[in-house]
Amino acid sequence: MWDTFITATSIDEALGLLAQYRRDARIVNGGTDLLIEIERKVRSPKVVIDVSRVPGLDEIRFEDGTFHLGAGVTHNQVVGNKLLVDHAYPLARACWEVGAPQIRNRGTIAGNLITASPANDTITPLWAMGAWVTLQSKARGKRDVSLEEFMLGVRHTALEPDEMLTEISFPALKENECGTFIKLGLRRAQAISVVNAAVVLGFRPSPLAPRVSEIESAWITLGSVAPTIVAAEEAQRFLIGETLEDHTIDDAARFAMNAARPIDDIRGTAAYRREMVRVLVSRALRQLRDETERADFPA
Amino acid sequence: MPAAKSYVTPLDYEKMTPEEREWAVLTGRADLDRAMKEGTPRSTTPPASPPAQPSADYAVVGKPQKDLEGYRIVTGKSTFTVDVYLPDMLYVRVLRSPLPHAKITSIDTSKAAALPGVYGIITYKDIPAQVLAGLKPVMASEPALVGDPIAAVAAVDETVAEDALNLINVQYQQLPFIVDPIAGAKSGAPLALSNLQSNVSGPDFKVVRGDVNQGFASADVTVEHTVNTQDQQHVALEPHIAVARWDNDVLTMWTSSQYTHAIARIVAATLGMPYSKVRVISAFTGGGFGDKTAVYPYHLVAALLAKKTMRPVRYELTRLDVFYEGSHHFQVVQDIKLGFKKDGTLVALQADSTARLGAYSRGSGLAGDTLSGARLEYNIPNILLNGRGVITNTSSAGARRSVGEASGMFALETLMDVAAEKLGMDPVDLRLKNINETGDPESKLPWTSNGLRDCITNGASAFNWKSRWQGWANVNKGAGPLKTGVGFMALASNKGSKSPPMTAVVEINVDGSVRVVQGAAHIGGPQRTTFAIIAAETLGANLDQLSVSEPDTAFTTDTGIVAGSRATKSVGSAVKAAAEDARAQLLGYAAAKFSKDLSRTVNPQDLAVTNGQISLQTDSSVKPITFADAVNSGFIIVDGQQVPAAATIIGRAVVPPVTQYAQQTYAAAFYEVQVNVQTGVVRVTDAMQIHDVGKVINPLQLTNQVHGGSVQGTGFALTEDYIYDTATGIPVSSNLDDYKMLMINDVPKITALFVESNDAVGPFGAKGIGEPAFMAAAAAISNAIYYAAGIRLTSLPMNPKRVLEALKA
């Protein structure tokens, strides 16, 4: 158990404490991951710095087409925010699929990123939407880091001991873009992903029905199939210039499968996970083509 | 070759623990054993059918009644053991073995003892060798599973106790270990405990009937398969917990239990105390499912630390502790083979069952329980059954909602489906052709009742089986990634019987209120409501006159365990008999009062009791009187004379065991599943269970039991899996994230239907329900998966990975 529990009242105070205690300290907000890590003795911080009372940390800002989520924003805040549901659907969908209402009310997106498990659901869509995080320290001030640079490995990030993640930013989906997130768990709720996938597609503007024209941009990211989230680059490249025919979808899903480097664990075998990448990516692409990706999302 | 005589491996009662004896009684093994030892058939003529109980219109029985305790429970006012906090209480945490098998070479607790706030520590050095929790060491010197208790600390709070554990220094010498029961049974396998000669525990369970070789030789169609069912934990909502307090030489223990009297008895015997000086209270039990039937190390840890520290001590197990120390629905590997005539008549059965016992269960009884249904469900002239238990370095096997029968029924009823296809028969017709409607072929005792045929035919009609199941030519005929199919199973269970001890007291008080004093646990059945209904019906009282006592060994008598689906039938029988005794006394008082008021002799047999009113049947002009009027009159009639009597009535009953009948419960189940052939995900989309419950006491509670059982049975079929890493012996799904239980959005519409077969010995003809509701799922789901997607799954759980592997094979 920790020796000291400090409730910080400002980011500056939290940064000061981090500079003082460094590796002995750990920030807590919702606590949905940290408390379990402490109980399982994965982490044994001597000082726990509670930032849940820091004013303004749970702010969601939308400026010039970019979303900025404060470090205190919870999963349910995202699900309940109409702008995010409309213009960042892959993230909203992922937040909706996390845990149960109690966990979604407490757990923060920032915490999900810092825990950095490849099975964490919000990393996949944020990665596909090109998100970056703002890290702040007393000594060096702010720096922005892309998720790709931030995620170094299983439960390993670029966060320095004296740094705090203060903001998550990502561009909103544009008029011609759409996306979704799909997860496979071993039951319908409160299940860690066996595999998850996020897809964001941009179509060439067309006077015809949406999503029938050629694809201009494609991002496909996969969770729980490698030490970090991975982008299915071959599949992304393949889709550019194509339209979403059945055979293109099948081929893209196969390319995505090749990007996965999964392991065996008690939730599934590597072979099963690879196969599921194909199934999930193909399902996501079909839903986007058929405009059904929001069909079972609560209005 | 001489004709083989049918026999069953005899039980050696002297070598059995009290716990094992209780289970032998509960699972019907004791009856079977007695019948076999007495030799041969009791009669050579077929047993007569039991007399049916009169079917009647009842005032309270059979009407939907809410749980009398429901309001208290849902408003948080009922005292579960987790709600018990005493002044000056200490909290316990236990250090547990990280190794599956080792010897402790040194243990140093001095640093932990010096930590401020620590009041007491115990290790194996503090515990006399004869002090065991059943067969489990209270504190291990040779830990035989990951999670065996090594040291227990009592401290001012749980955090300090936890910190103290980190200061205990233990050195282990690692020993070879064994996790897999099949490997463990082989000679030369590492021994699970150093004092064992072999991991195979005791003589095999064995039943021979007829000549199985001749049986198979005469068969036209033979089917066989090997089935592997998994280790499971019950995950009752309230964790295991004991709060212990000593007042001089009297020990009071609050614990979440299914059987307070056994806890008191075993704790007293273990600590060398009189039973009367141990008081065990279990006002409400937050779920049990068989896991709270025994004495565990934690009971003795609480008692011993309370004694050592001279303060009340509370040990609430963490969920991880429960996974380690709690009992487990054991892994079983079964080889089963059936032989049929062309027309579907069963002629031979051979089954072999290997049960993983874990470190501290013993004998072949658990394996035997997996074979019970196969022995009794169908008429089979030739059988050979073998069962053995194998000791392993895993959490101990124990009772879990049906003990072994759910695994046995999965093996049998999936093979029946395979046979039906091979024979080209409707699986429903194949069952109907072979039902054993007479009695136990070994003991020659007739059934108390058998409603299986009605369960099957009523269910087939309600489920619309004939149109939803479209013949064997239509297996795997669906298009698209989501394939739908239906499946069916029938089952027989030895649970739900009337078995001793059965005792109860019914008081009628001076104000006319009625109290049922009985010692059975309230674990969600909800049992107390059932007893109130039975007493009210018997007395002619209104339900709101009734209250039912909480189990407390200081004030109630031993009426047996609430397990084995026996509460309604066994405890209910005692309550009914005690209420009959009270009613007879009540009529004595009432007769005296009427005699006095009317100035003429009124006899008890002239009176009727309905809705809490006692009336004179021979003269409707006389105003009825209430229970209070009668009890308050202060006189009873003895030999035609009015005699002064105390203004209270105490009816009592000690009910003898059933010796003239064999008891079984029956059910049929129809399930529909949707198999996603891309992901391997199986969803149950429709579930129907039809149970022979003898007589419906309370349809509302009964339906709830079926819903709960079906959900748990579906978890057994599809998701729940307690997995050991064979390389390290470490359980890897010992948390509620990796140990997947179904959640409400995984649950389909469940339909519960009932058959009333009027059991010959149950109260109002009732039987049990708790366990059959759990059993009536897995085989039907597996059969439905086959019909939907053409794959036979013989390992549980049928998770997406296994489904997809089978589809690709």
Side-chain angles (χ1 to χ4, degrees):
Chain A
M1 204 50 111
W2 55 78
D3 297 331
T4 315
F5 189 95
I6 303 170
T7 304
T9 54
S10 69
I11 290 180
D12 283 346
E13 187 188 353
L15 295 178
L17 290 164
L18 282 173
Q20 184 184 344
Y21 295 108
R22 298 183 63 88
R23 283 184 198 284
D24 286 341
R26 194 82 187 163
I27 299 264
V28 70
N29 195 329
T32 54
D33 281 340
L34 183 65
L35 293 186
I36 291 170
E37 289 173 348
I38 289 173
E39 178 153 332
R40 293 188 185 167
K41 299 187 167 67
V42 177
R43 286 183 203 284
S44 314
K46 293 203 170 62
V47 180
V48 175
I49 305 163
D50 176 15
V51 296
S52 64
R53 314 283 172 91
V54 172
L57 210 58
D58 59 352
E59 218 170 63
I60 299 172
R61 285 180 295 124
F62 184 51
E63 290 170 359
D64 304 329
T66 300
F67 284 106
H68 303 277
L69 313 185
V73 171
T74 64
H75 293 81
N76 260 358
Q77 270 180 280
V78 172
V79 175
N81 185 300
K82 188 168 182 330
L83 272 182
L84 283 165
V85 172
D86 287 350
H87 302 294
Y89 180 68
L91 178 64
R93 173 96 217 182
C95 288
W96 176 246
E97 304 257 0
V98 167
Q102 293 91 329
I103 292 170
R104 294 196 289 270
N105 275 336
R106 287 206 67 88
T108 62
I109 313 298
N112 208 233
L113 299 186
I114 290 165
T115 297
S117 158
N120 280 3
D121 289 328
T122 64
I123 309 174
T124 324
L126 283 170
W127 194 305
M129 289 190 296
W132 65 92
V133 292
T134 304
L135 310 179
Q136 205 172 332
S137 64
K138 191 178 174 189
R140 301 177 305 283
K142 289 185 185 180
R143 60 176 177 133
D144 287 345
V145 177
S146 72
L147 275 193
E148 241 172 303
E149 296 161 326
F150 182 68
M151 298 291 167
L152 299 179
V154 178
R155 295 177 181 270
H156 184 36
T157 69
L159 191 73
E160 294 292 334
D162 64 342
E163 278 181 323
M164 174 177 164
L165 191 163
T166 53
E167 196 166 81
I168 302 153
S169 308
F170 50 91
L173 297 189
K174 296 181 193 67
E175 273 297 286
N176 66 324
E177 287 179 329
C178 62
T180 193
F181 168 86
I182 299 190
K183 150 179 183 171
L184 182 77
L186 292 179
R187 67 184 162 207
R188 294 170 100 168
Q190 291 216 62
I192 290 180
S193 289
V194 178
V195 173
N196 67 46
V199 178
V200 176
L201 299 177
F203 294 87
R204 176 181 295 174
S206 155
L208 301 168
R211 308 188 189 180
V212 296
S213 55
E214 290 91 3
I215 293 167
E216 276 189 344
S217 60
W219 291 271
I220 299 176
T221 52
L222 310 170
S224 215
V225 295
T228 66
I229 306 303
V230 290
E233 289 174 8
E234 209 178 342
Q236 294 175 171
R237 275 197 302 276
F238 165 78
L239 280 171
I240 310 278
E242 298 286 335
T243 56
L244 287 180
E245 312 296 334
D246 276 347
H247 66 89
T248 352
I249 289 174
D250 291 345
D251 288 350
R254 272 183 201 290
F255 284 127
M257 181 169 81
N258 294 335
R261 300 185 303 280
I263 55 164
D264 288 339
D265 71 9
I266 62 169
R267 288 180 207 114
T269 57
Y272 180 73
R273 285 195 159 93
R274 282 167 51 79
E275 177 69 17
M276 286 311 102
V277 167
R278 189 181 65 75
V279 172
L280 294 197
V281 169
S282 125
R283 194 187 289 174
L285 291 170
R286 279 191 168 76
Q287 286 180 5
L288 291 176
R289 177 189 67 188
D290 303 339
E291 299 182 55
T292 57
E293 76 273 14
R294 290 171 194 250
D296 57 349
F297 192 76
Chain B
M1 200 174 96
K5 230 177 102 180
S6 80
Y7 68 91
V8 173
T9 314
L11 299 177
D12 186 347
Y13 287 97
E14 285 178 7
K15 283 194 183 154
M16 291 163 80
T17 64
E19 229 178 313
E20 287 169 336
R21 281 198 289 270
E22 271 164 38
W23 278 106
V25 171
L26 212 60
T27 57
R29 266 306 295 287
D31 282 344
L32 179 60
D33 188 61
R34 190 188 57 234
M36 300 316 299
K37 278 177 184 160
E38 282 173 15
T40 46
R42 297 187 165 201
S43 80
T44 46
T45 52
S49 308
Q53 294 213 2
S55 178
D57 281 335
Y58 295 114
V60 194
V61 161
K63 310 280 191 296
Q65 309 286 0
K66 285 185 208 158
D67 182 4
L68 300 179
E69 303 285 7
Y71 187 80
R72 264 213 287 174
I73 292 174
V74 300
T75 53
K77 300 293 196 305
S78 44
T79 308
F80 289 81
T81 310
V82 289
D83 299 315
V84 174
Y85 289 89
L86 304 176
D88 299 327
M89 191 167 76
L90 300 175
Y91 296 78
V92 175
R93 277 285 170 267
V94 170
L95 183 69
R96 294 180 180 275
S97 172
L99 299 170
H101 191 196
K103 259 203 156 61
I104 296 179
T105 54
S106 76
I107 182 162
D108 178 3
T109 58
S110 56
K111 276 189 193 156
L115 188 70
V118 171
Y119 281 75
I121 300 178
I122 51 173
T123 69
Y124 73 92
K125 293 175 183 170
D126 304 294
I127 296 169
Q130 74 276 14
V131 174
L132 293 166
L135 296 168
K136 295 172 185 157
V138 178
M139 289 289 136
S141 59
E142 183 192 336
L145 62 110
V146 171
D148 240 355
I150 304 297
V153 175
V156 288
D157 63 28
E158 286 169 344
T159 311
V160 172
E162 192 88 33
D163 286 346
L165 297 186
N166 293 330
L167 299 173
I168 297 173
N169 188 357
V170 190
Q171 300 296 322
Y172 299 95
Q173 180 203 339
Q174 192 159 1
L175 297 171
F177 65 92
I178 186 82
V179 167
D180 178 58
I182 301 296
K186 291 185 178 139
S187 66
L191 292 173
L193 279 154
S194 55
N195 62 1
L196 296 174
Q197 304 297 312
S198 158
N199 293 323
V200 178
S201 180
D204 282 9
F205 171 91
K206 191 168 185 182
V207 179
V208 180
R209 182 193 302 163
D211 183 329
V212 80
N213 292 328
Q214 281 179 20
F216 280 113
S218 71
D220 299 318
V221 169
T222 302
V223 288
E224 61 187 308
H225 65 187
T226 299
V227 164
N228 192 341
T229 52
Q230 80 278 36
D231 191 310
Q232 272 187 299
Q233 222 285 326
H234 318 50
V235 195
L237 186 56
E238 184 184 33
H240 297 51
I241 175 171
V243 180
R245 184 183 72 197
W246 290 84
D247 303 292
N248 268 332
D249 59 344
V250 174
L251 169 65
T252 305
M253 184 181 286
W254 291 259
T255 183
S256 180
S257 174
Q258 293 174 245
Y259 194 6
T260 49
H261 293 80
I263 306 288
R265 192 172 68 230
I266 299 170
V267 167
T270 307
L271 299 180
M273 298 166 66
Y275 172 62
S276 57
K277 297 224 167 180
V278 177
R279 177 182 176 191
V280 177
I281 302 167
S282 203
F284 289 84
T285 300
F289 312 108
D291 198 15
K292 292 176 182 166
T293 57
V295 164
Y296 286 91
Y298 72 87
H299 290 110
L300 292 154
V301 164
L304 294 171
L305 277 170
K307 183 147 205 179
K308 185 165 182 168
T309 60
M310 295 190 291
R311 298 206 8 197
V313 156
R314 173 186 165 107
Y315 181 24
E316 177 182 345
L317 277 72
T318 64
R319 191 53 70 180
L320 183 61
D321 289 337
V322 173
F323 273 113
Y324 288 154
E325 187 169 320
S327 63
H328 283 242
H329 191 202
F330 43 96
Q331 183 197 353
V332 194
V333 181
Q334 301 172 78
D335 295 314
I336 176 165
K337 183 176 171 187
L338 293 170
F340 295 84
K341 287 288 186 194
K342 263 196 222 98
D343 67 353
T345 306
L346 260 166
V347 290
L349 156 70
Q350 185 166 354
D352 184 278
S353 179
T354 301
R356 182 165 76 180
L357 296 177
Y360 303 114
S361 287
R362 294 292 178 269
S364 57
L366 293 175
D369 202 48
T370 66
L371 299 164
S372 173
R375 184 171 74 81
L376 296 172
E377 186 171 10
Y378 301 116
N379 288 315
I380 313 175
N382 306 293
I383 67 175
L384 173 60
L385 307 177
N386 258 298
R388 73 196 58 75
V390 181
I391 303 165
T392 52
N393 297 105
T394 59
S395 286
S396 293
R400 152 69 198 262
R401 211 165 181 172
S402 86
V403 191
E405 287 186 298
S407 307
M409 272 300 143
F410 178 70
L412 176 68
E413 289 294 316
T414 48
L415 191 59
M416 286 295 282
D417 207 57
V418 173
E421 183 175 22
K422 210 163 171 185
L423 290 157
M425 283 178 79
D426 183 329
V428 166
D429 297 336
L430 181 63
R431 272 34 168 241
L432 288 173
K433 191 171 186 71
N434 289 290
I435 300 175
N436 167 7
E437 285 174 297
T438 16
D440 183 328
E442 270 64 53
S443 70
K444 309 291 178 201
L445 297 175
W447 303 131
T448 50
S449 76
N450 183 337
L452 183 55
R453 183 170 298 278
D454 286 346
C455 288
I456 295 172
T457 51
N458 295 1
S461 144
F463 190 77
N464 218 352
W465 173 257
K466 286 284 178 209
S467 67
R468 292 170 80 171
W469 184 84
Q470 299 187 327
W472 291 112
N474 285 303
V475 170
N476 192 18
K477 274 286 150 61
L482 295 179
K483 299 198 171 197
T484 297
V486 291
F488 158 72
M489 72 182 286
L491 72 89
S493 166
N494 60 38
K495 307 301 186 297
S497 66
K498 181 171 171 180
S499 60
M502 294 177 269
T503 66
V505 168
V506 171
E507 302 170 3
I508 306 176
N509 299 298
V510 69
D511 63 349
S513 66
V514 180
R515 197 148 69 120
V516 179
V517 184
Q518 58 77 42
H522 193 73
I523 62 167
Q527 289 71 17
R528 291 209 269 275
T529 307
T530 306
F531 305 147
I533 291 169
I534 288 171
E537 185 68 54
T538 308
L539 287 166
N542 289 318
L543 199 54
D544 60 12
Q545 285 175 266
L546 268 290
S547 65
V548 182
S549 69
E550 296 170 353
D552 178 335
T553 59
F555 305 115
T556 63
T557 50
D558 185 355
T559 193
I561 198 166
V562 176
S565 310
R566 74 183 278 286
T568 298
K569 196 171 182 186
S570 301
V571 186
S573 290
V575 170
K576 184 163 185 280
E580 281 163 358
D581 186 17
R583 185 177 190 274
Q585 295 177 49
L586 176 70
L587 293 182
Y589 279 83
K593 165 121 178 106
F594 278 118
S595 301
K596 202 164 137 207
D597 292 353
L598 303 173
S599 305
R600 60 178 154 98
T601 303
V602 171
N603 292 313
Q605 56 269 32
D606 300 333
L607 304 175
V609 197
T610 48
N611 301 325
Q613 302 280 315
I614 308 164
S615 55
L616 190 57
Q617 281 176 301
T618 49
D619 185 351
S620 59
S621 69
V622 177
K623 194 168 170 278
I625 62 171
T626 64
F627 283 28
D629 295 335
V631 179
N632 264 325
S633 71
F635 289 92
I636 53 170
I637 303 273
V638 176
D639 296 334
Q641 301 288 310
Q642 287 201 14
V643 183
T648 191
I649 288 172
I650 300 176
R652 289 182 297 184
V654 179
V655 177
V658 176
T659 54
Q660 296 306 309
Y661 299 106
Q663 306 178 60
Q664 293 274 299
T665 51
Y666 303 94
F670 296 84
Y671 279 67
E672 182 191 77
V673 302
Q674 195 182 60
V675 182
N676 184 324
V677 295
Q678 289 181 344
T679 60
V681 171
V682 175
R683 294 229 158 102
V684 174
T685 45
D686 193 9
M688 177 181 284
Q689 296 190 359
I690 308 91
H691 291 269
D692 170 15
V693 294
K695 170 75 194 169
V696 177
I697 301 289
N698 181 353
L700 193 62
Q701 295 171 14
L702 199 51
T703 303
N704 285 347
Q705 283 274 54
V706 171
H707 287 179
S710 174
V711 172
Q712 220 172 21
T714 305
F716 172 55
L718 297 179
T719 58
E720 293 183 38
D721 200 0
Y722 196 72
I723 304 163
Y724 286 88
D725 177 35
T726 46
T728 60
I730 295 173
V732 290
S733 52
S734 51
N735 61 68
L736 294 183
D737 166 25
D738 291 317
Y739 187 82
K740 286 271 182 300
M741 305 178 71
L742 293 191
M743 302 187 67
I744 194 65
N745 52 3
D746 299 301
V747 173
K749 181 188 82 175
I750 300 165
T751 308
L753 299 176
F754 304 106
V755 165
E756 296 193 320
S757 64
N758 263 321
D759 186 89
V761 299
F764 303 101
K767 306 185 181 191
I769 178 67
E771 288 156 309
F774 168 73
M775 294 160 63
I781 291 170
S782 175
N783 295 341
I785 290 173
Y786 176 72
Y787 202 72
I791 47 169
R792 289 273 178 207
L793 293 166
T794 52
S795 283
L796 295 184
M798 299 178 280
N799 56 28
K801 180 185 70 180
R802 286 196 176 127
V803 170
L804 211 65
E805 277 166 8
L807 283 165
K808 302 228 155 187

